[in-house]
């Protein structure tokens, strides 16, 4: 790649990494009811359009080069996107698509991948009222701005942003509703938070589980120096799980970590702890029963052989 192409690629990565999160922040401010001047909104939208044009200008030669090298259209497109769009932005886009899919599942009253015999455990209780409050504020703000903004172009931009903000709020909550925590039939644990976080824990590494109510000061995912993972909902956790060895996980923006203690929220923590304990005790009881049956069978066989020996022994 030429020096000009390298510089263009670097500029495109910086632009998309800075402007798209800024656009998301602008949408959050509008949803929260923060008044943004019409000129600022128009400038922000013009900037986004410019960045998208720059992305297309930089990605097209990359896509064409991959096609000439023999890649299919999808593979070439993915390679071009990976080269231009930073990992964190790509993951945000993927999370957004998955959340919108969760909205469809929610409307169909379905859940995402609950295996047969597994038990789902919701965790949306502490955040439900916050989500509905945000939704109400967003609807009111959309109606008010539609009545007071006199400029047609700005009115159209704000309307699109507001409607999309409402859709995102619904999608985030729907993703959490349709992706609950899961305790599998074999005792494995799957911790989730919507489309943002997904951690699978094999049953073999779960040492203990207990109800433990805590309030946290951090964000959604936090890991301390001792290897304790906090997956908080509404700044609280209600279940603590100790592991025999660390498990690896991926943060929402792509960073990796490991933890040996898991603290998370479940709306019914006692039922979840009981499910984890029952699955483990069932496995232990099965092993004990099998060992007992083997011992009983061995004793019965030994007794039978002894009795046979007595019957076959000669009489003095």
């Amino acid at each position: 790649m030429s020096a000009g192409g390298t510089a263009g690629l670097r500029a495109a990565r910086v632009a998309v990494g800075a402007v798209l999160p800024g656009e998301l922040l602008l949408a959050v401010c509008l949803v929260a009811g923060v008044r943004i001047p019409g000129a600022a909104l128009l400038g922000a939208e013009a900037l986004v359009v410019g960045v998208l044009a720059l992305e297309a200008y930089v990605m097209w030669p990359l896509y064409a080069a991959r096609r000439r090298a023999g890649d299919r259209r999808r593979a070439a497109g993915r390679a071009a996107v990976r080269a231009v769009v930073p990992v964190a932005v790509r993951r945000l886009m993927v999370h957004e698509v998955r959340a919108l899919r969760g909205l469809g599942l929610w409307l169909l009253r379905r859940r995402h991948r609950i295996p047969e015999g597994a038990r789902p455990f919701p965790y949306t209780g502490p955040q439900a009222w916050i989500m509905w409050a945000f939704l109400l504020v967003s609807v009111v703000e959309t109606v008010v701005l539609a009545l007071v903004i006199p400029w047609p172009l700005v009115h159209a931009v704000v309307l699109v942003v507001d409607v999309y903000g409402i859709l995102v709020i619904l999608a985030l909550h729907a993703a959490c509703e349709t992706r609950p925590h899961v305790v599998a039939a074999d005792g494995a644990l799957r911790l989730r938070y919507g489309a943002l976080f997904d951690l699978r824990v094999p049953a073999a590494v779960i040492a203990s589980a207990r109800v433990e109510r805590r309030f946290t000061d951090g964000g959604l995912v936090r890991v301390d120096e001792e290897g304790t993972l906090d997956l908080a909902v509404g700044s609280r956790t209600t279940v603590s799980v100790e592991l025999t060895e660390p498990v690896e996980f991926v943060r929402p923006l792509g960073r990796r970590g490991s933890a040996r203690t898991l603290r998370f929220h479940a709306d019914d923590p006692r039922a979840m702890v009981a499910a984890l304990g029952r699955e483990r005790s069932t496995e232990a009881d099965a092993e004990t029963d099998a060992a007992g049956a083997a011992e009983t069978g061995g004793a019965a066989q030994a007794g039978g052989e002894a009795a046979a020996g007595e019957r076959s022994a000669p009489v003095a």
Side-chain angles (χ1 to χ4, degrees):
M1 183 179 291
S2 64
T6 303
L9 177 60
R10 187 180 299 110
R13 289 178 64 89
V14 172
V16 74
V19 173
L20 292 186
E23 179 74 4
L24 179 61
L25 177 61
L26 181 63
V28 171
C29 290
L30 289 172
V31 169
V34 178
R35 290 298 183 88
I36 306 296
L41 287 173
L42 185 59
E45 296 305 320
L47 186 60
V48 170
V49 172
V51 168
L52 293 178
L54 176 62
E55 298 297 309
Y57 175 77
V58 173
M59 281 194 291
W60 177 252
L62 298 174
Y63 173 80
R66 299 293 299 186
R67 289 286 289 161
R68 287 194 299 269
D71 288 354
R72 295 186 176 183
R73 292 181 179 179
R74 178 175 294 184
R78 288 180 177 176
V81 170
R82 290 193 185 100
V84 176
V85 182
V87 175
V89 177
R90 293 204 308 266
R91 289 188 66 86
L92 283 175
M93 296 170 64
V94 170
H95 293 329
E96 192 169 321
V97 171
R98 289 176 178 173
L100 293 174
R101 181 187 176 190
L103 181 58
L105 293 176
W106 191 40
L107 294 175
L108 295 174
R109 298 182 179 275
R110 296 172 57 186
R111 285 177 170 172
H112 181 266
R113 295 185 181 178
I114 306 297
E116 184 177 357
R119 296 186 59 186
F121 291 91
Y123 51 82
T124 57
Q127 74 177 22
W129 70 272
I130 299 176
M131 286 291 184
W132 290 119
F134 269 123
L135 183 62
L136 178 61
V137 170
S138 299
V139 172
V140 172
E141 187 256 353
T142 301
V143 174
V144 171
L145 291 181
L147 296 175
V148 301
I149 293 180
W151 306 287
L153 180 59
V154 177
H155 176 272
V157 171
V158 172
L159 180 62
V160 170
V161 172
D162 279 350
V163 172
Y164 186 71
I166 293 172
L167 185 63
V168 167
I169 292 174
L170 283 174
L172 289 174
H173 185 65
C176 293
E177 290 282 358
T178 57
R179 296 171 182 257
H181 302 318
V182 177
V183 177
D186 64 350
L189 174 63
R190 186 176 185 181
L191 297 181
R192 299 193 281 191
Y193 183 83
L196 296 175
F197 187 84
D198 195 339
L199 170 61
R200 299 173 185 266
V201 184
V205 303
I206 299 178
S208 64
R210 65 184 182 276
V211 177
E212 186 176 15
R213 304 179 188 275
R214 289 174 172 265
F215 288 90
T216 64
D217 297 328
L220 173 64
V221 179
R222 187 183 66 173
V223 182
D224 62 17
E225 297 178 353
E226 299 178 356
T228 299
L229 168 67
D230 286 334
L231 181 63
V233 179
S235 299
R236 72 180 68 175
T237 62
T238 55
V239 178
S240 293
V241 174
E242 300 289 341
L243 308 178
T244 58
E245 61 185 50
V247 294
E248 294 187 353
F249 61 89
V250 181
R251 294 173 180 266
L253 295 183
R255 291 179 56 192
R256 293 184 174 272
S258 63
R260 191 162 183 166
T261 300
L262 309 176
R263 295 200 295 243
F264 55 93
H265 174 76
D267 290 346
D268 191 349
R270 297 185 184 278
M272 189 164 194
V273 169
L276 289 169
R278 180 168 62 253
E279 296 295 344
R280 293 181 61 78
S281 63
T282 299
E283 293 176 0
D285 292 344
E287 294 177 357
T288 302
D289 293 343
E295 292 178 359
T296 302
Q301 183 177 359
E305 291 176 354
E310 290 178 357
R311 286 195 300 270
S312 60
V315 179

